[in-house]
Amino acid sequence: EQPAIDPKTGSAAGCRSDSTVDVPCWVGEELECLGERYFMLSEPCRFTNRYHYSTALALSIFFGNIGLDRLYLGYYATGVLKMMTFGFFVVGNIVDITLIATQALGPADGSRYVLAPGIPALERRKANPLTQVAIPSLSNGDDQGWRDSASDKEL
């Protein structure tokens, strides 16, 4: 069963700050079960704390030079510093517009933005050092050979 969606945030109702939500689950009738047939399963969700993406982006574009975007997101020290230096001499404001537009700069409390319908949620992916990526080997002159980039062995 899917969790209910909070219409104000667009995220799962009951989403906790660790970005998980409990959803009810049942064991199918065709399966034999020695314990309870009903249990709660923790599923990932997008935790939001009512910071709107469109508001942050508009503040950055129109009032970023006086630091209102950083103040809105909870970065009070850099907001005041932007205010005193006219957006880090305009260069910092251009950087902030880019960071907010790409959702690389989010609210200071670690929550995600509340997004308007049609705006995709961008998630930052972390590289796994155990992941092996196959890249084409061009050493033998053809593109049929593949080489494991982690061990540098021919596949």
Side-chain angles (χ1 to χ4, degrees):
E1 182 175 312
Q2 295 292 326
I5 300 296
D6 183 353
K8 292 181 182 173
T9 64
S11 186
C15 186
R16 296 184 295 268
S17 61
D18 64 349
S19 294
T20 60
V21 63
D22 289 333
V23 293
C25 295
W26 294 269
V27 176
E29 293 298 324
E30 66 278 358
L31 298 175
E32 186 177 324
C33 182
L34 300 175
E36 295 289 324
R37 299 193 74 78
Y38 170 81
F39 59 96
M40 298 299 281
L41 182 66
S42 186
E43 288 288 322
C45 63
R46 290 186 74 249
F47 173 69
T48 61
N49 207 4
R50 308 220 189 257
Y51 289 98
H52 291 265
Y53 170 74
S54 55
T55 303
L57 188 58
L59 285 172
S60 187
I61 292 170
F62 297 111
F63 301 106
N65 285 334
I66 58 173
L68 290 185
D69 54 346
R70 290 284 183 147
L71 293 172
Y72 173 73
L73 293 174
Y75 299 100
Y76 302 115
T78 54
V80 171
L81 193 59
K82 274 181 76 174
M83 197 178 294
M84 293 187 315
T85 60
F86 195 67
F88 296 118
F89 308 106
V90 181
V91 175
N93 189 42
I94 295 169
V95 170
D96 275 356
I97 290 171
T98 305
L99 291 175
I100 292 172
T102 60
Q103 298 175 23
L105 178 66
D109 63 2
S111 65
R112 304 284 191 339
Y113 287 115
V114 175
L115 300 171
I119 296 177
L122 303 178
E123 299 293 331
R124 192 174 299 144
R125 301 282 178 157
K126 294 186 179 180
N128 182 349
L130 301 177
T131 303
Q132 296 180 355
V133 178
I135 56 174
S137 170
L138 301 177
S139 62
N140 59 2
D142 66 356
D143 57 353
Q144 299 300 317
W146 290 87
R147 192 170 289 282
D148 179 2
S149 66
S151 63
D152 206 34
K153 294 186 291 190
E154 191 86 24
L155 297 177

